Amino acid sequence: MATDQLHQFYRQANAWAQEARQSGWLSEADVENIESAEARTPAELFESGTQRPLVVAFFGGTGVGKSSLLNRLAGQAVARTGVERPTSREVTIYVHKSVQIQNLPEEFPVDKVKIALHQEDNNHDILWIDMPDIDSVDTRNRELVLEWLPHIDVLIYVVSPERYRDDRGWRLLLEHGHRHAWLFVINQWDRGRESQREDFTRLLNEAGFKHPIILCTDSREKERAPDDFEKLAQTIRSLANAHTIKQLETRGISLRMQELRKALQQTAEKIGTDESFTTLEQRWQEIWQATSMELEQGLAWKIESMAETFAARDSSLLPRLKKTEPEQPQKKPAVDTGQMWDNWAQTRLDDALDNLIVEADSQTVPTAPLRAGLPEIRDNARGWIENHLQTSLRSALLKPGTALQRFIYRSTGLLATLLPLAALSWVGYRVFVGYYQSALAPEQYLGINFTTHSLLLVLTAWLIPWLAHRKLKPSLQKAALRGLQTGLTSGLSEIDTQTRKIIEKLHQQQQQLRQNSEQILQKYAGTEESSQLPDNETLARMLVTEPDQNRAKTGTPEGKTHRPNRVTG
Ligand SMILES: Nc1nc2c(ncn2[C@@H]2O[C@H](COP(=O)(O)OP(=O)(O)O)[C@@H](O)[C@H]2O)c(=O)[nH]1
Ligand SMILES: [Mg+2]
């Protein structure tokens, strides 16, 4: 059934909004926007599946004669009038006893409802309601009217010749005009003038009623002049048939569906689009490029002095590190890399992230979920930077210099051992040969010259590679510098990656939410049957023709006093 569909649509739209609200994508006001969409209908007052009566209500200010009109219809005093009104908060319902009222409007005080049952066939298919005074000083009265309003098919706007445009009633007419069928009664016509009727007609034309039905009645108890009362009763009766009620119902649901659809669409737009996220990602790239450049420049001197301190403090670290590395990978090099990320650097990062939020705002991406994600970056930046500095410094120190440098260094080291050994072997061999030969011929014995040359040979064989080895030793300071530089760069790029991840995660959330809203919209697309003016000419005259224009011009905060609607299964 159409009403059920409206209710389902309403529930799903609200559940969607709540979910989006909880994850920070929507504000309370956005949720209220959907919540305040009207989902209540006249049909839900009655048991579904049964033929329901047309719901007609007298609507208007205090003392215009609403209760008198109802009494006249009933042919008896069912509603209290004039001086005997102890409470103007009372709602009187005049209904055929065969009609089952299933539900009263939610939160409606039952003790404020007086139900007068009748057995008249004339009014068999009409449920008449005498509503509280709309202009009463008691604001609760107005709330009661608003509580009933969505359940009413036809509103009979009763005015007096003096007050045919009282503020409250008129505002409600403008705001809710399109949702109901309206009939206008100038009561107390015994005091009225034709010019007043004309003026009233003109006002109604402006409000969107092209040919309003205006009836003039005199509802005094005695000495009544002939009036349009019979016509009023007749007009209402002409609408109280299954076909017209169905038409009104279809139109009402269609309008509600459209409003709900619009509210959901508008709200879904507030969570940003794919393009806004693409732009946001680009803007972050720009922001981060500038910031990381600034950070690298600003921290350059720190890296240099750290590398110097490091080299000066522990020049023997290299061999030790080499040995200890495999067993103690957690051991920190003897330099405090934690000092690198100082307050200045943190402020630069904070500024960059703040800029990102400003950008998000200007891309109409809701900032709340972003704000919720960014503290993770702000809090972890120092740790990330330090980790990267450590790792990078460690691997730079493990392999200082370039590969070629390290090869030559190792080779010269080796030569400083091998060459003197080779020279000594040669000398040894010569000594042995000389000794052997001197046994055969004494003049062959090795002289002082040989000794000097041998010593020089051994010395040179050792000294040249040793000196080269010393000279070619890769600089620890340079290695530390390189390590720290690489570490900072990769630390900064970690911040970048993590921030992108957050943007990406938000984008996914946003896509999911949008997808869900699209699904809901699609599910209920086409369920809005035509809201065209009906074929019934009388009914056509009772409806506002251009609802949206009217509402746009005259939207008032009145409707905001709606409580969240009840939606029944
Ligand atoms: N002169 C005149 N008085 C009326 C007419 N209809 C009702 N009254 C009186 O106006 C007063 C208020 O009427 P009531 O029906 O209680 O107005 P309500 O507040 O709109 O329900 C009562 O004293 C009625 O007797 C009318 O057509 N002409
Ligand atoms: Mg009354």
Side-chain angles (χ1 to χ4, degrees):
M1 236 185 89
T3 314
D4 292 341
Q5 235 167 1
L6 169 67
H7 287 172
Q8 271 175 21
F9 187 13
Y10 181 82
R11 263 199 304 269
Q12 290 185 11
N14 273 287
W16 175 86
Q18 286 295 350
E19 189 197 329
R21 163 85 184 112
Q22 267 154 28
S23 43
W25 289 87
L26 292 179
S27 68
E28 200 52 56
D30 296 326
V31 176
E32 269 166 26
N33 184 34
I34 292 185
E35 224 170 46
S36 69
E38 190 57 79
R40 295 170 291 184
T41 62
E44 70 192 49
L45 293 181
F46 311 95
E47 198 184 339
S48 71
T50 59
Q51 179 53 47
R52 70 167 181 92
L54 183 75
V55 184
V56 182
F58 289 106
F59 169 93
T62 315
V64 290
K66 302 181 293 299
S67 303
S68 303
L69 278 163
L70 182 67
N71 288 345
R72 231 178 126 182
L73 264 162
Q76 53 176 301
V78 290
R80 290 187 245 236
T81 58
V83 282
E84 52 160 345
R85 292 182 300 150
T87 145
S88 55
R89 295 186 65 195
E90 199 168 74
V91 170
T92 308
I93 294 177
Y94 184 62
V95 65
H96 195 270
K97 72 182 192 129
S98 67
V99 174
Q100 288 280 323
I101 301 176
Q102 190 83 353
N103 312 295
L104 287 177
E106 199 189 5
E107 296 174 54
F108 195 87
V110 183
D111 59 318
K112 297 291 176 220
V113 183
K114 180 183 167 192
I115 300 182
L117 298 172
H118 66 79
Q119 277 180 288
E120 253 185 279
D121 285 344
N122 258 349
N123 287 314
H124 186 278
D125 297 319
I126 306 167
L127 183 138
W128 294 95
I129 304 173
D130 177 21
M131 291 222 283
D133 305 334
I134 189 62
D135 59 350
S136 158
V137 278
D138 188 349
T139 56
R140 278 173 302 171
N141 265 359
R142 199 155 26 116
E143 281 164 18
L144 291 182
V145 173
L146 287 171
E147 206 61 57
W148 272 99
L149 219 47
H151 303 289
I152 288 160
D153 293 307
V154 180
L155 279 160
I156 302 178
Y157 192 166
V158 186
V159 298
S160 68
E162 299 87 27
R163 288 186 298 135
Y164 49 83
R165 201 202 145 154
D166 75 280
D167 261 7
R168 292 253 159 73
W170 195 255
R171 263 159 66 186
L172 273 176
L173 167 78
L174 293 176
E175 200 192 340
H176 295 265
H178 66 294
R179 287 184 184 156
H180 310 272
W182 294 79
L183 212 147
F184 302 92
V185 170
I186 308 180
N187 192 45
Q188 303 179 11
W189 191 240
D190 47 297
R191 299 208 289 259
R193 275 173 288 124
E194 198 50 42
S195 62
Q196 288 165 326
R197 189 219 293 253
E198 280 162 18
D199 191 35
F200 191 43
T201 311
R202 191 183 50 74
L203 285 173
L204 288 169
N205 289 155
E206 282 171 15
F209 295 93
K210 273 194 184 137
H211 305 288
I213 302 177
I214 302 177
L215 302 170
C216 302
T217 56
D218 170 1
S219 302
R220 283 173 299 174
E221 307 223 334
K222 292 168 203 150
E223 297 158 25
R224 248 177 231 156
D227 66 356
D228 296 336
F229 183 77
E230 251 329 293
K231 208 172 158 192
L232 165 67
Q234 200 47 52
T235 308
I236 297 295
R237 274 180 213 132
S238 78
L239 302 176
N241 57 74
H243 176 69
T244 312
I245 292 175
K246 180 83 192 143
Q247 269 189 337
L248 275 168
E249 201 164 294
T250 309
R251 180 178 182 271
I253 287 174
S254 162
L255 286 172
R256 286 161 170 81
M257 288 271 207
Q258 279 171 19
E259 276 178 30
L260 188 52
R261 166 173 296 277
K262 212 157 127 196
L264 182 57
Q265 271 167 342
Q266 276 172 352
T267 315
E269 267 159 33
K270 293 201 173 175
I271 65 175
T273 58
D274 278 345
E275 295 85 72
S276 47
F277 269 92
T278 316
T279 318
L280 187 61
E281 274 159 13
Q282 278 168 3
R283 287 298 297 129
W284 169 249
Q285 195 179 349
E286 287 162 28
I287 293 170
W288 189 245
Q289 235 168 27
T291 307
S292 57
M293 204 194 278
E294 196 186 355
L295 281 166
E296 272 176 7
Q297 282 169 359
L299 296 175
W301 67 271
K302 269 199 158 182
I303 289 182
E304 270 168 39
S305 77
M306 226 174 242
E308 262 169 44
T309 323
F310 176 76
R313 195 191 297 181
D314 202 351
S315 54
S316 64
L317 196 68
L318 181 59
R320 208 179 65 210
L321 255 178
K322 265 183 189 167
K323 258 187 263 152
T324 55
E325 190 67 19
E327 303 97 64
Q328 283 176 281
Q330 294 307 317
K331 190 174 185 292
K332 284 187 179 186
V335 66
D336 187 5
T337 44
Q339 287 173 0
M340 182 71 76
W341 195 254
D342 54 13
N343 287 342
W344 173 83
Q346 183 68 36
T347 311
R348 296 283 81 72
L349 171 66
D350 287 345
D351 287 351
L353 297 176
D354 288 346
N355 269 341
L356 179 64
I357 291 172
V358 172
E359 279 303 326
D361 200 34
S362 74
Q363 296 304 324
T364 63
V365 170
T367 54
L370 193 59
R371 279 178 210 279
L374 292 183
E376 185 190 324
I377 306 287
R378 298 185 203 271
D379 298 346
N380 289 332
R382 183 187 298 271
W384 290 329
I385 293 286
E386 190 172 0
N387 269 346
H388 281 271
L389 286 174
Q390 286 293 330
T391 314
S392 182
L393 184 56
R394 211 164 277 272
S395 63
L397 291 176
L398 271 176
K399 290 181 171 181
T402 63
L404 181 66
Q405 270 179 326
R406 286 196 298 276
F407 175 73
I408 296 174
Y409 176 68
R410 271 199 301 276
S411 308
T412 50
L414 204 62
L415 286 177
T417 317
L418 288 180
L419 283 184
L421 268 177
L424 274 171
S425 305
W426 173 248
V427 172
Y429 172 72
R430 291 296 303 167
V431 170
F432 175 76
V433 170
Y435 182 71
Y436 172 73
Q437 283 173 350
S438 72
L440 307 173
E443 68 277 12
Q444 282 290 318
Y445 197 75
L446 303 171
I448 200 82
N449 273 354
F450 172 79
T451 314
T452 316
H453 284 129
S454 294
L455 276 175
L456 279 173
L457 178 68
V458 174
L459 195 69
T460 331
W462 169 76
L463 193 64
I464 292 172
W466 183 82
L467 276 175
H469 185 67
R470 256 192 82 110
K471 277 287 152 211
L472 290 173
K473 182 177 174 181
S475 152
L476 267 187
Q477 185 177 338
K478 272 188 194 154
L481 190 67
R482 189 163 51 80
L484 290 170
Q485 269 162 351
T486 323
L488 180 64
T489 308
S490 57
L492 290 176
S493 93
E494 164 113 44
I495 294 178
D496 182 29
T497 313
Q498 299 290 349
T499 311
R500 278 169 196 280
K501 263 193 205 163
I502 285 177
I503 300 176
E504 186 50 38
K505 209 173 101 190
L506 288 182
H507 192 179
Q508 279 167 5
Q509 268 183 17
Q510 182 256 10
Q511 279 174 326
Q512 189 61 53
L513 278 170
R514 275 204 89 105
Q515 221 176 335
N516 293 350
S517 73
E518 279 307 317
Q519 270 171 6
I520 298 172
L521 285 168
Q522 248 165 36
K523 191 170 167 192
Y524 298 100
T527 50
E528 308 152 10
E529 291 164 55
S530 158
S531 60
Q532 297 286 302
L533 286 180
D535 46 16
N536 184 324
E537 202 199 321
T538 311
L539 186 55
R541 288 179 64 189
M542 295 166 72
L543 302 171
V544 176
T545 39
E546 290 144 17
D548 284 332
Q549 276 180 18
N550 258 319
R551 271 165 64 74
K553 263 197 310 215
T554 54
T556 69
E558 200 88 27
K560 299 289 174 213
T561 57
H562 272 299
R563 298 199 199 104
N565 301 316
R566 169 193 44 169
V567 166
T568 51

